[in-house]
Amino acid sequence: MAIRILLIALLAALFLPSALAEADNPRLVATVGRNDSFSISLSDASGNPVTHLDPGTYDVAVRDLSQMHNFHLHGPGIELASSVGNVEDLVWPVTFTDGKYAFDCTAHPATMNGWFTVGQVAPTKFAGSVGPKRSISLKPKIAEVGPATITVTDRRRSDHFHLTGPGVNRKTGVAFRGRVTWNVTLQPGIYSYRSDKHKTMRGSLIVTLPS
Ligand SMILES: [Cu+2]
């Protein structure tokens, strides 16, 4: 009996530390190409899509379910990919630091992609203006996805500044003059800004995935 207890204690001492070390890392699940579909996702342990993570080390379980697709993860300090030609089941221990990360299928990056932020990410600053003449502008004209602070100066009583695009629809009042600040999250795609009072007063902003 005493020997059996000693053996169990010995076995526990041998195997517990490694089991605990593995369990310490939060688990994320990367899935691509279920039933050869053009689908790609990164989810947390509860199955929710990852949009933001705390910095740290995670175990990314990769389910590359198709021979047409792969899962490619990149960002500060990370450049990992499963194979396009194979079905694979992998676990990547990865350490994320403050910044923007993106994932895609190397063969179809334009349609199969996603992104998320880790820790603190400084917002991109934009300056928009309308008036005093019949003019409208927004700078910069190209930017990456993520948090953005847009300061709009409206100097024209007969026009406004109206910004629309993925997840955003903000405008100043037509009669309003003054300065406003909008905090928004920019998604990949094309945004347009305009004054709805004059069709010629318009422009666009291109938002890209992290490079
Ligand atoms: Cu693909």
Side-chain angles (χ1 to χ4, degrees):
M1 194 63 175
I3 287 174
R4 180 176 288 183
I5 289 168
L6 189 67
L7 259 175
I8 289 168
L10 256 173
L11 283 171
L14 273 174
F15 290 106
L16 218 59
S18 62
L20 280 176
E22 264 181 41
D24 275 346
N25 291 340
R27 193 172 176 85
L28 306 175
V29 179
T31 309
V32 62
R34 191 178 295 283
N35 301 321
D36 285 337
S37 64
F38 285 63
S39 63
I40 192 165
S41 66
L42 182 66
S43 304
D44 63 19
S46 314
N48 299 310
V50 171
T51 58
H52 180 82
L53 294 174
D54 290 330
T57 301
Y58 295 75
D59 286 333
V60 179
V62 179
R63 312 249 178 276
D64 178 345
L65 304 170
S66 168
Q67 294 184 349
M68 309 192 301
H69 306 298
N70 77 337
F71 194 93
H72 169 218
L73 176 65
H74 63 103
I78 293 176
E79 177 67 51
L80 292 162
S82 63
S83 146
V84 175
N86 297 330
V87 170
E88 287 181 307
D89 218 353
L90 309 165
V91 177
W92 295 331
V94 293
T95 300
F96 294 115
T97 57
D98 289 354
K100 298 171 188 173
Y101 289 81
F103 55 89
D104 58 31
C105 166
T106 309
H108 313 98
T111 51
M112 298 173 70
N113 60 61
W115 67 280
F116 56 96
T117 54
V118 174
Q120 300 287 323
V121 174
T124 306
K125 287 186 163 62
F126 288 86
S129 76
V130 56
K133 300 227 168 100
R134 200 178 280 190
S135 65
I136 193 166
S137 72
L138 179 66
K139 283 172 187 160
K141 295 197 165 304
I142 183 159
E144 281 185 0
V145 290
T149 300
I150 300 168
T151 302
V152 173
T153 308
D154 183 336
R155 296 190 184 89
R156 218 170 133 84
R157 213 178 277 287
S158 54
D159 280 292
H160 68 168
F161 191 100
H162 187 186
L163 176 67
T164 56
V168 176
N169 186 358
R170 306 293 293 267
K171 57 189 172 190
T172 60
V174 172
F176 168 84
R177 282 192 301 181
R179 181 169 290 180
V180 295
T181 299
W182 300 326
N183 293 309
V184 300
T185 300
L186 297 175
Q187 302 287 345
I190 297 173
Y191 288 73
S192 78
Y193 56 94
R194 64 187 178 277
S195 170
D196 297 301
K197 292 291 167 188
H198 294 101
K199 281 199 166 91
T200 56
M201 294 170 65
R202 59 175 300 127
S204 57
L205 158 68
I206 295 167
V207 177
T208 64
L209 286 163
S211 55

